[in-house]
């Protein structure tokens, strides 16, 4: 029964074992938090689905034991090139990204999930499959979640819940939260297949025409992901999207002769562009597709979800063990929502421009693309945006918010479970001793100090002798051991 008392407890219950939920489980368990992760599916999906792993995601996952395992399995695309009327218009030069990972890594989502799951298993956590969340009730003591598995119900009390259960999120609906947005008008077709033809294996190729749009994403070994508009309804009325339908869409837009074959899967879809107005309700946090969906243009979605969880997890861990004040959790939604809105905004613009079948719009994009992408400033901005390297938390409630580049191995020096103070200033080092456990000190700056968050963003900075700014920041957000009454929330459910 839904009203039965909890039969078990945990610090954090994660609903959904896609890349978002797996990242949350990986991060939290690595930081010593007791987690359970459940998924309604009986087994992982074998489909490639989300394909692009962006530079910022690779930067963050490398130091967490997964990024380096991804690299040899994926295919690198160093540019995104626009074609029209049988000629090359311009390329977005991804090598301009300000990152070691100045490319898009094409890797099937099924492989990303496998790598995350394997790392999670090494940390002692197993995904519980075939488990459906049925009710969610918050109380003063935590969140009571009833789940059904093999016909039996279990009620678990969690200190916090992370809803990563997809665009049709059961938890979002159970809490009566909206998912504002719209469905875009075009019909689309997706497919994974092989192509015999002279198509680049190291670039995303985007073909524009007045009667459609066709994008080709190289996965390596002659295999490609295709995405196309279907304005004439070539595949709309078919029971299934067949290889013959996709060949017709390809031939009418792409000027390169090619034979499509060996299709693994295909689908038709409409684009939903939606996001929640807040990513938190009480002790329940939302991330990934449960919180935001948008056009697949640019391969941004999965990366947003992974980065949602890397933002949230260290904050949860520090609150749960009493090193941070609960106000730190209030910063998750205000930091991530502006990033999400920007991604949704530019994917909608890109979708409208690239997919338009208006002849005047088509002529304008052919004329304007070479001019715009001929400017270095535009190239650098576009490359950084693709790689999610331009995302920051400036203007948010919690610190400076700039992305700190992973230069000269800096991320290898980060404490991924606490703030890291880079300084050679003895006064600054001494000032942080009260927050031992919340701050780790590293050498590296003789002109002041730099306080970096576990997610690679700047918390605060100051010149030599500017100690008040450092201590004021720490006093506002973190707990100094021995400060009576300062730890306004702790939790006993830690991994021992």
């Amino acid at each position: 029964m839904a009203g039965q008392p909890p039969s078990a407890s945990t610090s954090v219950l994660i609903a959904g074992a896609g890349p978002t939920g797996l990242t949350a489980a990986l991060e939290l368990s690595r930081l010593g938090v007791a987690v359970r992760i459940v998924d309604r599916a009986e087994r992982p999906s074998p489909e490639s689905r989300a394909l692009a792993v962006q530079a910022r995601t690779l930067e963050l996952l490398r130091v967490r034991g997964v990024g380096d395992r991804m690299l040899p399995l994926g295919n690198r695309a160093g540019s995104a090139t626009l074609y029209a009327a049988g000629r090359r218009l311009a390329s977005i030069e991804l090598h301009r990204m300000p990152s070691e990972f100045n490319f898009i890594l094409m890797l099937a989502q099924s492989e990303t999930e496998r790598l995350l799951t394997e790392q999670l298993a090494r940390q002692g956590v197993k995904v519980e499959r075939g488990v459906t969340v049925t009710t969610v009730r918050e109380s003063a003591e935590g969140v009571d979640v009833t789940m059904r598995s093999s016909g039996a119900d279990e009620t678990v009390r969690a200190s916090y819940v992370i809803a990563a259960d997809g665009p049709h999120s059961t938890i979002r609906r159970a809490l009566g939260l909206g998912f504002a947005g719209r469905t875009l008008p075009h019909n689309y077709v997706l497919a994974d297949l092989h192509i015999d033809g002279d198509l680049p294996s190291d670039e995303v190729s985007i073909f524009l025409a007045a009667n459609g749009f066709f994008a080709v994403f190289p996965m390596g070994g002659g295999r490609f992901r295709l995405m196309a508009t279907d304005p004439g309804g070539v595949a709309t009325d078919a029971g299934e999207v067949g290889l013959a339908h996709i060949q017709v869409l390809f031939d009418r837009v792409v000027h390169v002769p090619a034979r499509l074959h060996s299709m693994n899967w295909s689908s038709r879809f409409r684009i939903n562009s939606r996001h929640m107005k807040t990513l938190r309700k009480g002790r329940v946090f939302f991330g990934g597709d449960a919180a935001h969906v948008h056009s697949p243009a640019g391969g941004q979605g999965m990366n947003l979800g992974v980065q949602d969880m890397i933002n949230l997890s260290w904050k949860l861990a520090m609150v749960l063990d009493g090193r941070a004040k609960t106000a730190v959790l209030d910063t998750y939604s205000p930091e991530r929502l502006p990033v999400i809105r920007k991604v949704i905004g530019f994917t909608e613009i890109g979708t409208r421009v690239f997919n338009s079948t208006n002849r005047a719009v088509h002529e304008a994009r052919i004329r304007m693309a070479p001019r715009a992408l001929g400017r270095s400033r535009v190239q650098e901005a576009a490359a950084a945006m693709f790689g999610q390297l331009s995302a920051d938390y400036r203007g948010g409630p919690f610190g400076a918010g700039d992305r700190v580049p992973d230069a000269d191995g800096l991320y290898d020096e980060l404490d991924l479970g606490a703030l890291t103070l880079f300084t050679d200033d003895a006064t600054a080092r001494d000032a942080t001793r009260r927050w031992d456990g919340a701050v780790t000190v590293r050498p590296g700056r003789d002109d002041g100090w730099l306080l970096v968050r576990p997610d690679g963003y700047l918390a605060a900075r100051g010149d030599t002798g500017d100690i008040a700014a450092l201590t004021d920041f720490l006093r506002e957000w973190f707990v100094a051991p021995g400060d009576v009454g300062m730890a306004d929330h702790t939790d006993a459910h830690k991994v021992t």
Side-chain angles (χ1 to χ4, degrees), residues 1-4 132-137 144-148 153-156:
M1 295 176 59
Q4 65 185 331
T132 302
V133 173
T134 57
T135 64
V136 180
R137 290 186 175 86
D144 293 343
V145 181
T146 302
M147 304 180 292
R148 180 164 297 162
D153 285 351
E154 175 191 12
T155 300
V156 174

Side-chain angles (χ1 to χ4, degrees), residues 346-402:
F346 92 72
T347 58
E348 281 201 14
I349 290 170
T351 299
R352 286 199 301 269
V353 171
F354 287 155
N355 299 359
S356 176
T357 54
N358 180 290
R359 187 163 293 277
V361 173
H362 177 61
E363 294 299 326
R365 66 193 177 193
I366 289 177
R367 187 171 60 255
M368 295 302 296
R371 296 179 189 175
L373 292 174
R375 301 173 182 172
S376 290
R377 186 176 64 178
V378 173
Q379 281 282 353
E380 289 165 4
M385 184 173 60
F386 257 95
Q388 296 195 359
L389 298 165
S390 56
D392 60 60
Y393 304 135
R394 295 174 193 164
F398 186 48
D402 300 83

Side-chain angles (χ1 to χ4, degrees), residues 58-127:
L58 288 169
E59 287 183 346
L60 295 169
L61 291 182
R62 179 187 69 80
V63 289
R64 289 164 171 85
V66 179
D68 284 342
R69 292 188 174 94
M70 290 176 153
L71 293 173
L73 300 177
N75 188 54
R76 303 182 186 193
S79 62
T81 301
L82 304 176
Y83 298 88
R87 63 187 178 92
R88 177 185 177 278
L89 299 179
S91 290
I92 298 173
E93 300 167 359
L94 301 177
H95 66 80
R96 293 175 181 256
M97 289 185 192
S99 172
E100 171 190 356
F101 306 108
N102 55 350
F103 49 83
I104 299 175
L105 185 71
M106 299 296 174
L107 182 66
Q109 181 175 326
S110 55
E111 283 292 275
T112 297
E113 291 180 2
R114 179 181 65 81
L115 293 173
L116 290 168
T117 301
E118 288 175 355
Q119 180 63 30
L120 190 58
R122 284 190 283 270
Q123 295 174 191
V125 179
K126 182 179 179 181
V127 177

Side-chain angles (χ1 to χ4, degrees), residues 144-226:
D144 293 343
V145 181
T146 302
M147 304 180 292
R148 180 164 297 162
S149 176
S150 302
D153 285 351
E154 175 191 12
T155 300
V156 174
R157 175 160 293 166
S159 296
Y160 294 97
V161 169
I162 293 175
D165 52 343
H168 305 294
S169 171
T170 299
I171 295 176
R172 190 185 66 237
R173 292 176 173 180
L175 296 176
L177 300 175
F179 204 33
R182 61 200 182 98
T183 301
L184 303 184
H186 288 286
N187 297 311
Y188 294 86
V189 170
L190 274 181
D192 274 10
L193 44 73
H194 284 71
I195 299 179
D196 292 339
D198 191 18
L199 288 167
S201 62
D202 60 353
E203 74 171 27
V204 177
S205 302
I206 302 169
F207 300 90
L208 308 173
N211 63 340
F213 154 93
F214 209 104
V216 181
F217 304 86
M219 300 174 70
R223 184 179 168 207
F224 293 84
R225 160 74 58 82
L226 307 182

Side-chain angles (χ1 to χ4, degrees), residues 187 189 229-238 245 249 252 268:
N187 297 311
V189 170
T229 51
D230 187 14
V234 170
T236 301
D237 297 327
H245 300 113
L249 295 174
R252 76 179 186 184
R268 66 174 65 84

